[in-house]
Amino acid sequence: MASGNMKDIKRRMKSVQSTMQITKAMELVASSKLRHAKERVLRSRPYFNTMYETMARIAKETRDGDSIYTKARTVKKSLFIVIAGDRGLAGGYNSNVLKLAAAQMAGKTPCVVTIGKKSQEYYAKRNFEVLADFPGIAETMQIQDTHDIVDDMLARFRDGSIDEAYICYTEFVSPMVQEARCQKLLPLSFPGSDDSAGKGKPQALTEYDPSPEAVFSAIVPEYLNGVLYGAVVESYASEQSARRMAMESASDNASEMIENLNLSYNRARQAAITQEITEIVAGSGQVGA
């Protein structure tokens, strides 16, 4: 019985060691990808911040309702761009953003554009109107790759096919923290554009030709391209960070399991030796009798 138990423990130790080798390798790959993804995030944020400030400044010069992109309307149909990962084994990364999107869709009539294989698979299994799928683009995405998505969204908004649009993604806060967010894209609004961030500083006098409204409408697509690109790179960095943490935790758990199994193996081995000694002593006693 003891030898059989020892074989089972040994077999399980080999299995756990093989699993730990895989999780270690995945952790190293995720760490490498995270470094590159973090650089993309840091490069994209200044562009987005500059575009946001420019849009907010022009919006202050326009009157409410002058642009079709800022005019409020009765909401009949909502578009959601949902960004998730292309692979699993990333802790709660995918489930968190999909749960947030589901909460935002509650009570609305949604249609969906998916970015990432996990988002595609999730909505394919449910009764949602999916307008387009974009799996496997996050790692190599360039800002020009966002044009088709944004142009289609704006066309639908202008012709009344949708009345509002949201983007659900995961913000990369730090290598240890990622937060699922849902941001409204259309109609456009710029809360805080009248804040005191620029108070006390000289403001440049800007003349818009032919008008602030025309300039505002002209740069809306560029602004939304920047928002979408920023959301994709933030989500990709968050995915790699979440996967690195998940694989690190899995490797630590595997190491702990191996220690416990090794202890159990030694106990079983000691029990087998003790049993053999006992049988030898008992046998020698019978022979002596």
Side-chain angles (χ1 to χ4, degrees), residues 26 30 84-85 87-99 118 170 178 238-250:
M26 293 184 67
R87 299 177 182 86
L89 299 177
Y93 166 75
N94 290 309
S95 61
N96 289 341
V97 71
L98 293 172
K99 286 179 182 177
K118 292 300 178 182
T170 306
Q178 305 87 41
S238 298
E239 179 187 2
Q240 299 307 320
S241 182
R243 181 170 293 112
R244 186 193 65 80
M245 288 192 299
M247 293 301 98
E248 181 181 9
S249 178

Side-chain angles (χ1 to χ4, degrees), residues 67-144:
S67 173
I68 188 175
Y69 301 120
T70 59
K71 189 179 297 183
R73 61 174 76 170
T74 302
V75 177
K76 299 176 183 176
K77 196 166 191 177
S78 305
L79 170 65
F80 286 82
I81 301 174
V82 184
I83 305 172
D86 290 304
R87 299 177 182 86
L89 299 177
Y93 166 75
N94 290 309
S95 61
N96 289 341
V97 71
L98 293 172
K99 286 179 182 177
L100 177 63
Q104 291 290 329
M105 292 178 187
K108 300 179 183 290
T109 304
C111 55
V112 183
V113 172
T114 70
I115 297 178
K117 188 175 181 181
K118 292 300 178 182
S119 180
Q120 179 188 27
E121 291 174 349
Y122 180 85
Y123 290 104
K125 297 175 182 176
R126 289 162 176 80
N127 188 25
F128 283 92
E129 180 185 355
V130 179
L131 301 180
D133 294 309
F134 297 92
I137 66 170
E139 185 172 1
T140 58
M141 190 176 202
Q142 302 294 324
I143 195 164
Q144 59 265 25

Side-chain angles (χ1 to χ4, degrees), residues 138-158:
E139 185 172 1
T140 58
M141 190 176 202
Q142 302 294 324
I143 195 164
Q144 59 265 25
D145 298 327
T146 66
H147 291 180
D148 290 341
I149 302 173
V150 170
D151 290 346
D152 181 68
M153 176 179 67
L154 290 175
R156 291 176 183 274
F157 186 76
R158 287 192 296 267

